[in-house]
């Protein structure tokens, strides 16, 4: 990480902040705001402190390493598309038919020689300092508390190395880790993830599970940790492939797990499968808190470090965040791996305000009736892609998927209620909207067809439509129409909800001459003029089976659900910054934001 810092100083526009700043809220708030800027920079906090615990840490905190696309690309050493091309070539490898063809294959095969990690016999730089079990104290690490309502401090960029019970499979996953006390961490590996599958094996066998957590080292390790590699494939293979050199691993001091020799900090320990503990709440990358839930606990055996370690961390909350850039690389690199199951897929895009699992756009060469539906089912059936709640497919003649305005117009002009598929499937463990955890509604829109004929019969101005809406639906506060020039304009209304939207639905249908698509959100904390955050809110807040009606008009209920709707789970709150902390940072010149910025990214609650 010290090399990375030097490199970031020279090439990455690193911003160094020497002022003593609190790991609780202050450092996270600065990083959160920085990564939302158009020209966001990586940040090094050289003097982290914890006022509550009266600690001055002796290691710096490095954040926003993936601060922008350029930096992310530089971390890879090449554009992610080039990595994808390499993978594509490998997947299409055929036996060579001529001598020349054999020669041409050499570079591809040569690249493969780096894929397998090298296990060193020696110890690594990460083991220069060794803290014995009795001296372990997590308070020596500048672990951040990001949000006021977080259940504590969390390691947010931990590389979690685990292995299967028989030792045959290794895994690297990026999971957050809650600090409980001096020597215990909560292991937030969700039920669908590889480490959780290994945990099940240890639990069945009644054996303690070894775990080693790495922090720092080559930034590519952490990217590999979040990459959705197929079960059973060690992420270090991907590392070797991308880097073009073997990962160099050393054995943990107290268990058999191998970890990169150059990480800055290593935390080793065991998880007792019999002991679970409440984890959270934690303000997550969905922009909502994930609620308290029991998760396994790791008891720490030893911590080892480099002589001058750097603590790497990230902040999650409402988009855009550092995971926007990590996710961009993932999206590009995994495109060739999707093609074997969806060969006519041309491209796909997961807009950051869809927080990955809430929205995906796919462009395809449509060959037959039902082809888009076939893709929907394929996506919903495979690996982590199956978490995607809302999938929209367009034909090959559609504009670039990243061209937000053009692609939205294209979709709205082809939106046909008869080509909307609403079904049920597996959902991300973080989803808060489904009536029960882990299973919920899925929405698929087939926009691969021709432009639809029917349009709004009697378009009205916003003010006129608002008046009509308020006459029949008194909860309505604001109304705004988007994309009125398309066949399916979107009419969005904010309401002060006092009863379920469903109970008024029939009344809303009476406006069918003027409205084709109606989206309803709460007035509180939603700004009708901020489509970026509105999309974030709506795709987050709906369960398609419960909250969408397609006829006679399309109605989407994007409001928060409660007992008014017969919803019995707890509905989590948004991640909001702490106003006093923002004010104090602003006063000290550590951030420079205005009201518009605060509102645009929903940093503070509002109701005006
Ligand atoms: C910033 C960030 C934080 C994450 N936190 C968690 C987490 O706490 N728990 C989890 O299960 N997945 C988390 N993920 C997603 C996993 O890293 C991702 O699903 C990964 O592919 C899991 O690896 P596995 O399939 O080997 O288990 C996080 C991803 C990012 C980018």
């Amino acid at each position: 990480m010290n090399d990375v810092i030097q490199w970031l100083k020279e090439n990455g526009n690193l911003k160094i902040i020497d002022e003593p700043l609190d790991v609780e809220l202050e450092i996270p708030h600065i990083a959160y705001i920085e990564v939302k800027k158009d020209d966001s920079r990586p940040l090094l906090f050289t003097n982290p402190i914890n006022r509550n615990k009266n600690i001055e840490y002796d290691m710096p905190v490095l954040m926003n390493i993936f601060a922008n696309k350029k930096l992310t690309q530089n971390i890879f050493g090449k554009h992610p598309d080039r990595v994808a091309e390499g993978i594509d070539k490998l997947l299409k490898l055929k036996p060579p038919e001529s001598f020349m063809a054999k020669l041409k294959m050499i570079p591809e095969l040569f690249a493969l020689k780096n894929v397998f990690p090298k296990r060193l016999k020696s110890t690594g730089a990460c083991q220069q300092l060794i803290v014995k079990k009795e001296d372990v104290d997590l308070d020596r690490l500048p672990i951040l508390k990001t949000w006021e309502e977080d259940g504590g401090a969390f390691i947010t960029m931990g590389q979690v190395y685990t292995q299967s019970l028989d030792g045959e499979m290794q895994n690297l996953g990026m999971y957050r880790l809650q600090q409980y006390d001096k020597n215990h961490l909560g292991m937030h590996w969700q039920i669908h993830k590889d480490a959780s599958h290994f945990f099940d094996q240890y639990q069945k066998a009644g054996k303690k599970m070894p775990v080693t957590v790495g922090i720092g080292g080559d930034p590519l390790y952490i990217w590999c940790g979040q990459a959705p590699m197929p079960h059973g494939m060690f992420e270090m293979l991907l590392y070797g492939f991308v880097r073009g050199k073997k990962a160099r691993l050393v054995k943990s001091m107290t268990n058999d797990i191998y970890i990169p020799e150059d990480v800055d900090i290593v935390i080793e320990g065991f998880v007792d499968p019999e002991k679970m503990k409440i984890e959270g709440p934690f303000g997550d990358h969905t922009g909502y808190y994930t609620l308290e839930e029991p998760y396994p606990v790791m008891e720490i055996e030893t911590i080892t470090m480099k002589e001058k370690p750097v603590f790497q961390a990230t902040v999650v909350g409402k988009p855009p965040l550092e995971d926007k850039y990590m996710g961009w690389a993932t999206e590009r690199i995994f495109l060739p791996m999707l093609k074997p199951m969806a060969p006519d897929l041309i491209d796909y895009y997961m807009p950051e305000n869809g927080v990955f699992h809430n929205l995906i756009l796919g462009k395809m060469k449509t060959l037959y009736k039902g082809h888009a539906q076939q893709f929907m089912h394929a996506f919903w059936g495979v690996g982590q892609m199956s978490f995607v709640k809302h999938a929209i497919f367009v034909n090959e003649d559609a504009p670039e998927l990243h061209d937000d305005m053009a692609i939205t117009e294209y979709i709205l002009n082809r939106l046909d209620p008869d080509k909307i598929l609403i079904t049920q499937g597996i959902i991300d463990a973080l989803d808060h909207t489904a009536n029960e955890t882990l299973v919920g509604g899925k929405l698929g829109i087939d926009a691969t067809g021709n432009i639809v004929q029917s349009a709004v019969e009697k378009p009205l101005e916003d003010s006129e439509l608002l008046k009509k809406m308020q006459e029949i639906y008194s909860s309505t506060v604001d109304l705004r129409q988007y994309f009125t020039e398309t066949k399916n304009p979107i009419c969005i209304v904010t309401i002060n909800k006092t009863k379920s939207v469903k109970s008024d639905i029939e009344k809303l249908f009476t406006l069918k001459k003027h409205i084709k698509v109606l989206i309803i959100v709460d007035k509180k904390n939603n700004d009708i003029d901020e489509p970026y955050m509105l999309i974030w809110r709506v795709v987050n807040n709906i369960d398609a089976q419960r909250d969408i009606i397609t006829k006679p008009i399309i109605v989407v209920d994007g409001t928060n659900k409660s007992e008014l709707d017969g919803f019995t789970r707890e509905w989590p709150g948004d991640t909001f910054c702490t106003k006093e902390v923002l004010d104090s940072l602003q006063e000290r010149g550590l951030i420079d934001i205005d009201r518009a910025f605060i509102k645009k990214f929903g940093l503070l609650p509002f109701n005006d």
Side-chain angles (χ1 to χ4, degrees), residues 57-70:
Y57 299 96
D58 59 5
M59 66 182 81
V61 178
L62 182 59
M63 299 190 70
N64 294 352
I65 267 199
F66 297 90
N68 52 57
K69 275 193 181 168
K70 186 165 172 253

Side-chain angles (χ1 to χ4, degrees), residues 231-292:
H231 178 64
M233 274 182 85
F234 189 23
E235 285 70 10
M236 284 288 112
L237 303 175
L238 182 60
Y239 173 87
F241 182 79
V242 176
R243 213 13 116 237
K245 68 175 199 208
K246 284 175 184 294
R248 291 164 59 82
L249 309 181
V250 292
K251 196 179 111 28
S252 302
M253 312 292 293
T254 57
N255 64 47
D256 291 334
I257 293 175
Y258 278 75
I259 41 149
E261 59 155 353
D262 62 337
V263 291
D264 285 56
I265 300 161
V266 183
I267 305 173
E268 301 178 11
F270 289 88
V271 167
D272 180 346
E274 296 306 312
K275 288 186 193 148
M276 304 285 268
K277 193 166 170 161
I278 289 296
E279 198 270 1
F282 177 74
D284 223 309
H285 85 115
T286 54
Y288 285 84
Y289 280 88
T290 42
L291 303 171
E292 293 183 337

Side-chain angles (χ1 to χ4, degrees), residues 164-446:
S164 57
L165 182 64
D166 61 10
E168 290 294 312
M169 283 194 255
Q170 283 98 52
N171 191 68
L172 160 58
M174 178 184 187
Y175 320 116
R176 70 167 184 253
L177 308 162
Q178 179 167 3
Q179 179 189 354
Y180 288 127
D181 51 34
K182 284 182 185 305
N183 61 347
H184 290 94
L185 288 171
M187 314 307 284
H188 188 258
W189 49 57
Q190 294 150 6
I191 191 164
H192 304 118
K193 306 300 169 73
D194 286 352
S196 174
H197 300 327
F198 292 166
F199 174 79
D200 293 343
Q201 297 174 356
Y202 287 90
Q203 197 173 42
K204 249 194 194 146
K207 289 196 171 153
K208 284 193 177 176
M209 173 178 175
V211 180
T212 299
V213 178
I215 298 171
D218 187 335
L220 204 54
Y221 298 142
I222 198 70
W223 177 81
C224 289
Q226 59 81 61
M229 290 288 278
H231 178 64
M233 274 182 85
F234 189 23
E235 285 70 10
M236 284 288 112
L237 303 175
L238 182 60
Y239 173 87
F241 182 79
V242 176
R243 213 13 116 237
K245 68 175 199 208
K246 284 175 184 294
R248 291 164 59 82
L249 309 181
V250 292
K251 196 179 111 28
S252 302
M253 312 292 293
T254 57
N255 64 47
D256 291 334
I257 293 175
Y258 278 75
I259 41 149
E261 59 155 353
D262 62 337
V263 291
D264 285 56
I265 300 161
V266 183
I267 305 173
E268 301 178 11
F270 289 88
V271 167
D272 180 346
E274 296 306 312
K275 288 186 193 148
M276 304 285 268
K277 193 166 170 161
I278 289 296
E279 198 270 1
F282 177 74
D284 223 309
H285 85 115
T286 54
Y288 285 84
Y289 280 88
T290 42
L291 303 171
E292 293 183 337
E293 260 188 283
Y295 269 93
V297 184
M298 169 179 172
E299 182 171 328
I300 300 171
E301 293 290 313
T302 182
I303 294 183
T304 71
M305 297 182 209
K306 282 184 175 161
E307 262 158 22
K308 285 196 169 173
V310 175
F311 189 82
Q312 192 190 354
T314 190
V315 173
V316 293
K318 290 175 187 161
L321 297 162
E322 209 177 346
D323 67 0
K324 158 182 175 176
Y325 302 105
M326 297 172 87
W328 164 69
T330 311
E331 178 198 279
R332 296 296 83 210
I333 290 170
F334 279 73
L335 175 60
M337 295 190 228
L338 284 173
K339 287 196 175 174
M341 60 139 194
D344 304 298
L345 182 72
I346 296 166
D347 199 4
Y348 75 115
Y349 171 43
M350 303 178 104
E352 80 231 21
N353 46 349
V355 303
F356 306 110
H357 54 264
N358 285 339
L359 184 59
I360 188 172
L361 307 181
K363 188 190 265 196
M364 59 188 290
K365 193 176 165 69
T366 320
L367 298 176
Y368 38 79
K369 208 174 151 192
H371 202 171
Q373 281 89 336
Q374 186 185 32
F375 272 31
M376 290 167 200
H377 291 295
F379 275 52
W380 290 331
V382 167
Q384 294 190 41
M385 197 51 102
S386 58
F387 302 152
V388 166
K389 286 207 295 185
H390 311 116
I392 306 176
F393 286 93
V394 296
N395 196 28
E396 57 185 324
D397 63 354
E400 278 294 307
L401 297 177
H402 294 82
D403 186 344
D404 297 334
M405 298 306 281
I407 197 71
T408 310
E409 278 173 23
Y410 179 98
I411 292 165
L412 291 174
N413 280 328
R414 287 159 182 80
L415 184 63
D416 175 351
D418 288 329
K419 287 188 168 179
I420 293 178
L421 172 67
I422 294 178
T423 179
Q424 196 183 52
I426 188 171
I427 49 172
D428 194 287
L430 299 183
D431 181 84
H432 62 273
T433 57
N435 290 338
E436 51 176 314
T437 53
L438 306 178
V439 175
K442 301 277 195 186
L443 169 77
I445 297 179
D446 175 358

